[in-house]
Amino acid sequence: MSTTAEATTAVRMSFHQFHFDMRAFMRNRQSQFFTLILPILFLVIFASVFGGSDTVKVAGGRIKTSV
């Protein structure tokens, strides 16, 4: 087999694997929740708990936060 045919085969197999993984992901509600919703939920929770001030008081002074 030539290198062009091998490259074409590799691309087709990669596309097939991507298509299979996307179908499996879309069918599994748990994977959708933990991949998409949970990080957003954590972002909202941590932003509401730790947000609102640009400095944090620690022993020995205050530290400016980057967020």
Side-chain angles (χ1 to χ4, degrees):
M1 220 185 246
S2 67
T3 55
T4 306
E6 290 173 356
T8 304
T9 304
V11 169
R12 289 184 69 216
M13 285 193 315
S14 297
F15 180 73
H16 185 272
Q17 183 67 39
F18 174 76
H19 189 285
F20 175 80
D21 288 341
M22 286 303 294
R23 281 183 32 193
F25 175 74
M26 294 310 253
R27 290 178 180 176
N28 188 346
R29 295 207 179 219
Q30 282 183 327
S31 66
Q32 292 175 5
F33 174 78
F34 286 108
T35 302
L36 303 173
I37 305 300
L38 192 65
I40 294 170
L41 188 64
F42 279 152
L43 179 67
V44 169
I45 291 171
F46 287 126
S48 64
V49 170
F50 296 115
S53 67
D54 55 350
T55 60
V56 177
K57 185 177 179 184
V58 294
R62 297 190 74 76
I63 297 176
K64 184 174 169 136
T65 57
S66 62
V67 178

